[in-house]
Amino acid sequence: MRTYYLFTIKKEYYAVYRKNPLALYKTLENLYKIKKTNLNYGITLYNQICDIIDVNRLKNYFSHLKVDGKNNKFLIKLNKELAILKLYHSCIICKSIKNYPSVFNVLNYYSRYIFICDFYNHDYFFLSKSDIYLSRQ
């Protein structure tokens, strides 16, 4: 099972990192691994690069899809595949057995500036379809 972390990147940073997603991945990976003693620095850096996720908007949307969900956790079945989403204001965590779960297509409507990281497998890409090919080259 793969665990993806989805971040909404601010528009001005999207323009900077779109052609160099490795630099963005390394920055977010450092934030993911940050020690508690440097937490204030990490929060400042996160707020500089990322937008806050509108959890209520996403919860409302997923509740209309009639998926199983409690609080901020949803079990989503799309195209005969399952994904588990946990919604946080800082990121969305998606667990799936797929390399590209169908729920990503739904989230692309929420924001075109979503950057996806799998820190365990060192995989990363922008969600927007045109940018997937840039990060995989």
Side-chain angles (χ1 to χ4, degrees):
M1 182 166 285
R2 296 191 63 172
T3 301
Y4 296 100
Y5 295 82
L6 290 74
F7 301 91
T8 53
I9 305 302
K10 290 187 177 181
K11 189 176 182 179
E12 59 270 18
Y13 285 97
Y14 172 81
V16 171
Y17 287 117
R18 188 173 66 92
K19 293 184 180 170
N20 188 8
L22 176 60
L24 179 57
Y25 171 77
K26 289 295 187 184
T27 301
L28 293 171
E29 182 181 42
N30 287 335
L31 288 175
Y32 175 74
K33 295 178 179 180
I34 202 162
K35 295 182 180 179
K36 290 184 180 183
T37 55
N38 296 326
L39 200 54
N40 285 337
Y41 167 73
I43 291 170
T44 301
L45 184 58
Y46 171 86
N47 286 330
Q48 182 180 359
I49 297 172
C50 299
D51 277 328
I52 301 297
I53 294 172
D54 188 348
V55 171
N56 289 331
R57 182 172 154 204
L58 288 171
K59 281 172 57 175
N60 185 41
Y61 179 75
F62 287 122
S63 67
H64 283 87
L65 283 179
K66 296 185 173 147
V67 296
D68 293 332
K70 270 190 182 176
N71 299 324
N72 293 350
K73 187 175 181 180
F74 293 88
L75 177 63
I76 299 171
K77 184 176 182 182
L78 290 171
N79 300 328
K80 297 182 182 179
E81 63 185 54
L82 293 174
I84 299 170
L85 283 187
K86 294 180 187 175
L87 307 177
Y88 299 99
H89 293 287
S90 57
C91 71
I92 299 168
I93 300 174
C94 176
K95 293 188 178 195
S96 174
I97 59 170
K98 296 286 187 178
N99 287 335
Y100 191 90
S102 294
V103 72
F104 286 177
N105 295 326
V106 173
L107 291 168
N108 197 34
Y109 290 110
Y110 168 72
S111 172
R112 65 172 294 197
Y113 305 114
I114 293 178
F115 188 69
I116 300 174
C117 301
D118 177 348
F119 296 118
Y120 180 77
N121 292 301
H122 306 288
D123 194 13
Y124 55 90
F125 53 93
F126 279 100
L127 184 56
S128 113
K129 295 253 187 239
S130 61
D131 293 323
I132 288 172
Y133 304 106
L134 288 174
S135 67
R136 304 268 177 168
Q137 292 179 348

